[in-house]
Amino acid sequence: MRIISGKYKGRRIFPPKGLPVRPTTDMSKEALFNVLNNHFSFEGLKILDLFAGTGNISFEFASRGSTPITSVDADFGCVKFIKQVAAEYDFNIAATKSDVFTFLERNKATYDIIFADPPYALDQKTFDKIVLLVFEKKTLQDDGMMIIEHSKYTKLDHLIHFSFKKSYGGSIFSFFEMEKSANEENNDEDLFEESEEE
C-alpha cells in the first residue's frame, strides 16, 4: 500500500503477511479522500480509525497533518505493525488493541472524523450497531463526519444521521453527519466512479 498525499506522498508501506485484513485499495482511498477534501482541512483533525487493520487510513490522515489519531483493532499483529510505522514516521497515532464495541462503550473522547472498515462479512445488525453506538455515546463532534466502508449487500441509509453514500468498485462508503440540510446540494457526485466490478 502507498500513501497518496501529504508529507509522505508516494511512500510505500509493506505490512507483514498473515494479518487478518482486507485493506482499502489505493484507488478507493484516493476517491474517499477527494470527497473528504471538500469538507475538511486535514491539519490538526482528531481522527478515530475503527477496525484499523494495517493502519492504511490512519497513515493517510497522519501524512496530511491530522493529529492525534486513535487506531483501534482487536488483532495484536495489526496493532504492533501500526505502532512500528507510527514510530518510524513520527506519526501521532495511538494504536489500541481492543474490540471496537468495547472501545466505543468506554471511550469518552470526541473526534472530527471517524472511519470504520469492519469485515464485510459482518451481519446487518452489527453494522447498524456501530453507527448507533457512535451517536448514542456522542463520539462524533457536532461538525464532524463518520464514514463506514462496506459491501453493496449492506445497507446503511436507513440509519440516523445518514448523509450520502459513494461507491467504487465493490466498496461503498456511507457518510454520516450530525446535521444535514435537506436542501444541501451533493457536490461530491462526480468524485466516485460507479462500477459494477466486484
Side-chain angles (χ1 to χ4, degrees):
M1 65 190 187
R2 70 181 170 88
I3 295 176
I4 59 176
S5 190
K7 182 178 180 180
Y8 293 100
K9 179 179 179 179
R11 190 68 57 90
R12 292 196 174 275
I13 298 174
F14 300 95
K17 295 181 179 179
L19 295 182
V21 297
R22 176 197 39 76
T24 302
T25 66
D26 287 347
M27 288 187 294
S28 294
K29 183 171 64 171
E30 186 167 8
L32 167 64
F33 276 86
N34 283 342
V35 172
L36 292 177
N37 198 48
N38 279 353
H39 295 266
F40 297 96
S41 173
F42 294 105
E43 190 76 27
L45 287 182
K46 191 175 182 181
I47 307 297
L48 176 60
D49 185 6
L50 301 173
F51 305 93
T54 61
N56 189 12
I57 296 296
S58 293
F59 304 148
E60 193 66 44
F61 276 114
S63 179
R64 294 166 186 251
S66 299
T67 181
I69 298 167
T70 301
S71 305
V72 181
D73 200 278
D75 183 76
F76 175 79
C78 290
V79 172
K80 180 181 178 181
F81 177 68
I82 293 171
K83 288 181 176 179
Q84 289 173 344
V85 175
E88 180 180 351
Y89 291 95
D90 197 28
F91 289 153
N92 186 6
I93 298 176
T96 301
K97 183 183 180 301
S98 175
D99 171 77
V100 164
F101 298 102
T102 301
F103 176 87
L104 289 173
E105 287 283 0
R106 297 176 178 174
N107 170 68
K108 302 298 182 185
T110 58
Y111 302 88
D112 297 298
I113 296 179
I114 300 172
F115 179 83
D117 183 12
Y120 282 8
L122 293 182
D123 61 25
Q124 179 72 52
K125 187 176 181 180
T126 305
F127 271 91
D128 291 0
K129 183 180 177 181
I130 298 166
V131 178
L132 296 173
L133 194 54
V134 163
F135 288 105
E136 175 188 327
K137 296 294 182 178
K138 297 180 171 57
T139 310
L140 188 67
Q141 297 272 19
D142 288 345
D143 56 351
M145 182 176 282
M146 179 179 185
I147 308 101
I148 308 283
E149 181 176 349
H150 57 94
S151 78
K152 67 180 183 180
Y153 301 106
T154 299
K155 309 297 182 184
L156 300 179
D157 49 340
H158 62 287
L159 294 172
I160 187 171
H161 300 302
F162 174 83
S163 183
F164 61 96
K165 64 183 177 182
K166 298 295 174 184
S167 64
Y168 194 91
S171 297
I172 294 176
F173 296 96
S174 288
F175 296 79
F176 297 82
E177 299 175 83
M178 289 296 292
E179 295 182 8
K180 175 179 176 292
S181 168
N183 298 319
E184 183 180 357
E185 291 293 332
N186 184 356
N187 295 321
D188 303 318
E189 198 65 40
D190 296 330
L191 293 175
F192 270 64
E193 175 186 342
E194 296 288 347
S195 172
E196 296 300 324
E197 296 178 8
E198 293 300 316

